[in-house]
Amino acid sequence: MEYCKAAPADLGACTALFDGVFGGGEAFARMVLEQFAGPGRVYLAEGEAGPQAVLCAVPVSLKGRSGTYFYGIATDPAHRGKGVMSGLIEYACADLARQGLGFAALVPEGPALFAFYQKRGFQKAFGRRRLCRAVRHNLWAQAEFDTVTAKHWQALRSQYMPDSVMLTPAGAAAVLTDLYSCGLTIVSSPEGYGMYFAKGDTMRFIELFAEGDRAAERLMEAARERERAERAEITLGASQGLFLGEGAAQDYGMVRFLGQPFDVSDCYMSNMMDEQA
């Protein structure tokens, strides 16, 4: 077994492995490998028959520290349970630590995988709170509905939640392009912004920041007038101050420190190419 960084000649095999595990098509897999992660940021476990596992180390930052976001953590089904991914994670973490990166973050694909990653040095972080609210009818609610650029999105997030795991401009652009292709709408005003998918009578807000509860309600009321949807499902970061006392806490992300540990208890991470319409 050889652990290494993927070379350009490996891209086809890595694309096939990623698509075979996660689906979404070859075009999406190539976008993840070539744009979301980028050259030199894809690690693979190479066996005699080709790649047995692949891992994308997407560049991110948090609290002024450079780090990585592990995404597309895929093992060929024939080699699961044999320690292949464990070895690849250790190889990638050691290589990234040598480069001076301070942390690695990830989002387990399901609840059962939290224990898997805990055994490999990760700890729970970036929790969420989910709640449902009825949205009242308000013809006077004013907001803008337009395409927010990656640069603007990052600026808004920095304004409302400075301690966020931040993608590079290229990474943020890849995420927004994917979300828009799935039907995302962004509502904004001088008081805040929200990102949501509308289906039937429900708007699912995957990100919502505002100066206070009433400002957030006005954004949702404006969205209701546009979508004719009376109900909102809202995902907030665990440390956000909106609608305190409402909703249920949920585990979301994990972090492994590659250098000196630092406090991430009030930090935020979301929309890391893991949301679907």
Side-chain angles (χ1 to χ4, degrees):
M1 179 67 62
E2 178 186 3
Y3 298 109
C4 58
K5 287 185 180 180
D10 300 316
L11 183 60
C14 291
T15 297
L17 175 56
F18 182 100
D19 186 39
V21 172
F22 298 113
E26 179 181 347
F28 177 75
R30 291 186 72 91
M31 181 275 292
V32 168
L33 298 173
E34 295 179 346
Q35 300 175 36
F36 190 49
R41 298 190 178 101
V42 178
Y43 292 85
L44 63 86
E46 185 82 35
E48 292 183 1
Q52 296 182 2
V54 65
L55 180 157
C56 297
V58 179
V60 296
S61 61
L62 175 64
K63 287 189 168 182
R65 298 166 172 85
S66 296
T68 189
Y69 169 62
F70 284 168
Y71 182 76
I73 305 171
T75 305
D76 185 286
H79 298 93
R80 290 175 184 165
K82 299 179 180 180
V84 175
M85 182 53 71
S86 296
L88 184 57
I89 289 173
E90 290 307 313
Y91 175 84
C93 284
D95 183 63
L96 293 163
R98 283 193 295 269
Q99 296 176 38
L101 273 65
F103 67 95
L106 57 78
V107 178
E109 192 176 5
L113 287 175
F114 279 92
F116 173 86
Y117 291 118
Q118 281 179 325
K119 293 178 180 178
R120 285 145 188 89
F122 289 83
Q123 63 190 58
K124 292 180 180 179
F126 318 118
R128 287 179 159 186
R129 181 162 49 93
R130 286 187 168 173
L131 59 139
C132 296
R133 281 188 141 235
V135 183
R136 72 175 187 174
H137 181 56
N138 180 3
L139 284 173
W140 304 107
Q142 298 293 317
E144 298 291 331
F145 295 88
D146 50 16
T147 301
V148 171
T149 65
K151 183 178 180 180
H152 189 197
W153 176 40
Q154 297 290 70
L156 285 170
R157 184 180 275 187
S158 295
Q159 175 185 346
Y160 289 101
M161 184 63 78
D163 291 340
S164 295
V165 176
M166 302 292 286
L167 294 160
T168 64
V175 168
L176 275 186
T177 298
D178 182 62
L179 290 173
Y180 281 134
S181 73
C182 295
L184 180 79
T185 299
I186 296 183
V187 55
S188 62
S189 76
E191 298 179 308
Y193 76 98
M195 306 169 68
Y196 69 89
F197 294 104
K199 185 175 181 180
D201 68 348
T202 300
M203 298 174 291
R204 182 166 64 89
F205 281 83
I206 61 173
E207 190 157 289
L208 179 64
F209 287 104
E211 294 177 358
D213 288 1
R214 186 65 196 113
E217 288 170 346
R218 281 192 287 268
L219 287 168
M220 292 190 291
E221 288 163 3
R224 171 189 162 139
E225 298 306 317
R226 182 179 191 271
E227 307 294 347
R228 300 294 187 264
E230 302 176 357
R231 181 173 175 269
E233 295 178 353
I234 309 163
T235 298
L236 301 172
S239 61
Q240 279 186 252
L242 294 178
F243 309 128
L244 289 177
E246 298 184 37
Q250 294 184 340
D251 292 329
Y252 175 62
M254 304 188 79
V255 66
R256 172 172 165 171
F257 298 108
L258 305 180
Q260 183 67 30
F262 58 97
D263 184 15
V264 297
S265 58
D266 291 331
C267 295
Y268 175 82
M269 183 172 75
S270 190
N271 296 317
M272 303 294 287
M273 202 69 83
D274 62 312
E275 290 286 355
Q276 297 180 349

